[in-house]
Amino acid sequence: MDENMKQLQQSLIELETEAEHLLLARHQLVENDKVRNGNREALTALRKRARTTKTSVPSPFESMMKNIGNPASRPLVKEVCATCGNHDSNEQTWMMFPGTDVFAKIPFHAAHSILETDQARLDHEAQKLQSYVKEKSFFISEKGVLADKISPGVLRSLVALKDKPW
């Protein structure tokens, strides 16, 4: 094999591996979104069960200002979970743990805490995957493969091969 043919083959192998990485990252992004949507649905169901929304539970400052006129033996600031609200946080709730087929009955507060931390982790992974897909797409488009034309590098290699006497 001559040098031009080896160079063409090497560039095509490089592009194919980059494209494979891009497709794998897109597939992982779709799977990640499925899990994120499931977590979001579960968190919404828990909020409905507790009869709260993300903004319906007063902040500790609001509850402190509300109770300032009536000093009692209770603390001024009561920690209020944004999801639990006034719901009994020790009430047992069935939950299927991510990645398994195991159901467990755990406290309400623990269930939504696990889902919220998992949701934050999945959001971070989704952002990383999106930037990775963007980077790989940019790399492949720079090579001219994603365009509706033949890449200049590939075209030069083909012309060089055509001009070679066999």
Side-chain angles (χ1 to χ4, degrees):
M1 257 188 197
D2 69 334
E3 191 62 35
N4 289 336
M5 186 63 116
K6 285 182 182 180
Q7 187 178 9
L8 174 65
Q9 183 181 18
Q10 188 62 31
S11 66
L12 290 176
I13 288 172
E14 181 183 354
L15 283 171
E16 191 171 328
T17 55
E18 293 297 325
E20 187 68 28
H21 289 228
L22 175 67
L23 290 175
L24 288 172
R26 283 184 179 171
H27 178 71
Q28 182 62 38
L29 194 58
V30 168
E31 293 300 317
N32 193 349
D33 281 342
K34 288 179 184 176
V35 175
R36 283 174 56 208
N37 286 339
N39 273 8
R40 184 182 44 78
E41 290 170 1
L43 283 168
T44 302
L46 288 175
R47 285 189 187 104
K48 282 183 180 179
R49 186 169 169 194
R51 293 185 183 94
T52 61
T53 62
K54 282 187 170 184
T55 58
S56 69
V57 178
S59 70
F61 179 74
E62 290 173 359
S63 60
M64 178 179 73
M65 295 309 290
K66 181 177 152 187
N67 296 329
I68 199 112
N70 185 8
S73 61
R74 61 184 169 192
L76 283 178
V77 178
K78 178 185 174 190
E79 287 287 326
V80 179
C81 176
T83 303
C84 293
N86 293 329
H87 189 75
D88 180 17
S89 62
N90 291 324
E91 176 188 334
Q92 297 294 306
T93 305
W94 285 103
M95 180 178 168
M96 184 175 94
F97 287 98
T100 64
D101 291 334
V102 176
F103 282 91
K105 212 171 193 183
I106 61 174
F108 184 86
H109 184 72
H112 80 76
S113 295
I114 290 169
L115 287 171
E116 286 171 351
T117 55
D118 196 37
Q119 189 74 4
R121 180 186 59 80
L122 288 169
D123 288 341
H124 180 68
E125 284 181 15
Q127 288 176 346
K128 285 185 355 186
L129 281 170
Q130 287 168 351
S131 65
Y132 183 77
V133 165
K134 184 178 179 181
E135 174 188 322
K136 291 297 178 188
S137 297
F138 182 73
F139 176 78
I140 292 172
S141 70
E142 283 292 309
K143 294 286 187 176
V145 177
L146 293 180
D148 290 338
K149 58 183 172 91
I150 297 176
S151 168
V154 173
L155 189 59
R156 277 191 298 265
S157 299
L158 290 175
V159 169
L161 288 176
K162 184 181 171 190
D163 293 338
K164 273 274 205 204
W166 297 99

